[in-house]
Amino acid sequence: MQLESLQMNKVFLNIRALVSMGTSLIVAAATSLALLCSPLICVSAQQKGKSTQTKYGSVKPGAPDLQARQRADALLAQMTLDEKIGQLNQLFFFSSFQKEESFNDGIRKGEIGSLLFVTDPAMINRFQKIAVTESRLRIPLIFGFDVIHGFHTIFPVPIGMAASWDPKMVEGAQTVAAKEARAVGINWTFAPMVDIARDPRWGRIVEGAGEDPYLGSVMSAAQVRGFQGGQIGSPEHLLACVKHFAGYGVAEGGRDYDAANISDAQLWNVYLPPFKAAVDAGVGSVMSAYMDLNDVPATGNRWLLRDVLRKDWKFGGFVVSDANAVSDLKTHGYARDAQDAAVKALTAGVNMEMSFEARVYLKNLANAVKQNQVSVKEIDDMVGPLLETKIKLGIFENPYVDEAKVTSTFANPAHREAAKLAAERSAVLLKNQNDLLPLRKTAYKKIAVIGPLADSRQNTLGSWSFAMDINETSTILAGLKTKLGAGTQVEFAPGVQINRNSPSPFEMLLKEKHAPAWTEVQAANEFEKAVDLAKNSDIAVMVLGENQDMSGEYASRSTLDLPGRQLELLQAVTATGKPVVLVLLNGRPLDITWAAQNIPSILEAWYPGSEGGNAVADLLFGDAVPGGKLPFTWIKNAGQIPLYYSHNLTQNPGEQEKRYWNERVVPLYPFGYGLSYTTFAFSNLKVNQPEIKIGNTADVSVDIKNTGNRAGDEVVQLYIHQQAGSTSRPVRELKGFERVALAPGETKTVRFKLGPKELRYWSAAAKDWVQEAENFDVWVGNDSSASLHSTFRVTQ
């Protein structure tokens, strides 16, 4: 332990030099000794792979900011410039084509602060052992992974979970995801993604909560709580990372990675609120986005990362770039070269660079310091929050993962139950003509299950599903067979194949590869087989939509039609005269106008996850009742983009539907829409204070009654409109909701509060947040077209 002895000798010599300078400095020096010793004292236990509590400086998970900061500062004082820069470096590791040994020396030298995409607990322990026993200061690594909607147990994709309008369920889902990921040694997830998306051509709409900032903010906070628990470092939880800051979902033309040009009013009122909600919920890290935001790349945007995030919002965590986003500052034409990119990103406020091979920070920041382009203090300011986070996570004291606990964690039956419940609560019933659903188990001797997605495990799970056991996936076909048993004949025909025109870069990570493409003869035969199966069956359940690689990152598209010959197949099966139920697996609204006119029952199941097939079977046969609501406006076709409910009135609102001469400008289904197997009625809307002063709160109440003969859930939604002000205000804005379970005939009173938080907005005229003395409309109902109406007034 010669290194430790040398370090402590230096500290004692410094104290001795201060003795003649007064007792206050002696006390300060003694405090420094305690803090400086803390990481060194931990070393012996870490080398043995044991947990320890030290006398000085030991910080429990979730420690107060000041305690963690003091210990981080003490550790920072011992680090060389190269070691500091190493902490800013995060690298991908793909075991399929990279060698573990090629990373060991960089860890040993302190050149790597984090690795991502390592999911083998034994490998994580091996990497971590090098960091905490062979690097000079024994600083542990933090391991990251895209835990987006589950880890081993896969939940519905985020747009699906947002459709539940059930933040408690969403929080629970991400709690399970965190527990499973933490079991293998992952400390950090790159989620939630909270980008508001109003252009469904953009592929990553599937990862967010849709078009509305209020719903998006609620889901953002719920996911942060689920991932992190009560505080950073909570047992069996992860560090959350809200992304992509900011405006990524506004890519021009819906083309992933293209520039975003957003007005100040739209940015503050629509696109930033979900990020602010995550910060308010205590999120520990933020990911900067790839793209240009109003001509300044988000990863080099000082206003965004310092003025908004840190100064206005008081964010105290750290910022990580998206993959290669620092080196891409040069590609953007924003930076002259790699060193300029490193300087611009760091001074903008990016603490950690995520990269494949570029390592722009590692290769250039030391030289930038020598050339006075960046100061050592600026480096320290970026390293400090990273060290604080590692301290709060408890990985100095507990650097290793218990490999023996992985199997039991994954096998917890409660996780599968939670996934099934989430899939049931996320489903949205779009149409149910003549109450075809729920189906009766004894009504059909032979059921045809038709469609390319009906028995596809990967497409049941959705994108960002990499670490699961794919054999544990319940497809729609498997779920129906399990539900109905031997008494009903359930037969399957895919009918058609669907594939992208260009492959997804994530294909190499998939557990289930695409089947070889059919020949023309095979395609014709398979199509005919599917139609014949429908003819010879009592009912057809058709499972259509998009392959999971058609919806997600690098998965934008120019149209919203059903890919391939799916519509043709649907029409041919319908022409047999047999009843048809359409189940959709997708992550965006699709052009299903023909289906909405001709198919009696349509169930939106999203990509429902590991228990998706069992959940859909329960929904189709009435053992679960759909209660989800659309988190976006379901447009008819891509030509209507953008079309969202919270538009401004304009000078001629009565003609809003007639803006196109060739078709009405109305959606297929409004935002917040979703049916049930029962019916509901709203009544007795009251605003208990018809007039309130600025800063006060109005209480709103409404009665909801289950008027049907089945138990079911309804989502009570409250919308407002400010009738005048310093700027034009949207025709409606969601400001409250509650999902309510009601027995047949039961009535409940639901209450909301409208205070300054709900009534203020960022005014383009005032260039600031304002709450104004004006008249307000209030509507309550079951979607954004709610008709039950009242008013109130805000006065000075």
Side-chain angles (χ1 to χ4, degrees), residues 194 196-198 209-220 266-275 277 631 644-646 671 732-735 737:
V194 302
I196 296 298
R198 293 179 166 180
E211 73 179 48
D212 184 75
Y214 185 89
L215 178 62
S217 296
V218 172
M219 293 301 167
S220 171
Q266 287 283 295
L267 192 60
W268 285 108
N269 291 320
V270 177
Y271 297 101
L272 289 182
F275 290 96
Y644 48 90
Y645 85 91
S646 58
F671 173 82
R732 293 191 183 196
E733 295 178 281
L734 179 70
K735 292 297 179 179
F737 66 86

Side-chain angles (χ1 to χ4, degrees), residues 161-321:
M161 287 199 283
S164 73
W165 292 58
D166 184 353
K168 200 67 179 175
M169 183 276 287
V170 173
E171 181 180 339
Q174 301 299 31
T175 299
V176 171
K179 184 174 184 178
E180 292 185 348
R182 192 68 193 90
V184 305
I186 292 167
N187 322 102
W188 182 18
T189 176
F190 304 108
M193 193 209 86
V194 302
D195 297 295
I196 296 298
R198 293 179 166 180
D199 187 338
R201 294 173 299 183
W202 187 57
R204 299 192 80 169
I205 186 175
V206 67
E207 295 177 52
E211 73 179 48
D212 184 75
Y214 185 89
L215 178 62
S217 296
V218 172
M219 293 301 167
S220 171
Q223 291 188 78
V224 171
R225 292 192 301 269
F227 284 129
Q228 290 191 172
Q231 56 193 355
I232 296 172
S234 294
E236 299 183 325
H237 284 78
L238 303 171
L239 179 73
C241 181
V242 65
K243 65 182 185 185
H244 307 82
F245 196 59
Y248 182 42
V250 199
E252 293 173 339
R255 298 180 297 270
D256 207 1
Y257 313 133
D258 272 6
N261 290 284
I262 310 172
S263 71
D264 288 348
Q266 287 283 295
L267 192 60
W268 285 108
N269 291 320
V270 177
Y271 297 101
L272 289 182
F275 290 96
K276 179 61 161 59
V279 171
D280 290 344
V283 73
S285 61
V286 172
M287 182 182 290
S288 63
Y290 288 116
M291 80 300 149
D292 279 338
L293 173 62
N294 299 334
D295 296 331
V296 181
T299 296
N301 197 313
R302 185 182 181 93
W303 173 80
L304 197 61
L305 301 179
R306 291 192 182 272
D307 293 351
V308 175
L309 184 62
R310 291 181 170 97
K311 183 179 176 182
D312 291 356
W313 294 355
K314 313 301 179 188
F315 174 68
F318 68 89
V319 175
V320 62
S321 77

Side-chain angles (χ1 to χ4, degrees), residues 667-703:
L668 191 61
Y669 304 111
F671 173 82
Y673 172 86
L675 303 175
S676 175
Y677 294 156
T678 186
T679 54
F680 302 93
F682 293 84
S683 63
N684 201 27
L685 173 61
K686 295 179 180 178
V687 181
N688 294 339
Q689 298 89 357
E691 186 171 290
I692 62 170
K693 292 185 178 297
I694 288 178
N696 291 344
T697 298
D699 296 301
V700 180
S701 64
V702 67
D703 292 341

Side-chain angles (χ1 to χ4, degrees), residues 7 193 365 406 501 534 549 622 747:
Q7 293 281 1
M193 193 209 86
L365 283 179
V406 175
N501 294 338
D549 63 1
T747 299

Side-chain angles (χ1 to χ4, degrees), residues 493-508:
V496 298
Q497 282 184 323
I498 55 173
N499 288 297
R500 291 170 49 129
N501 294 338
S502 58
S504 166
F506 297 96
E507 192 167 346
M508 65 179 181

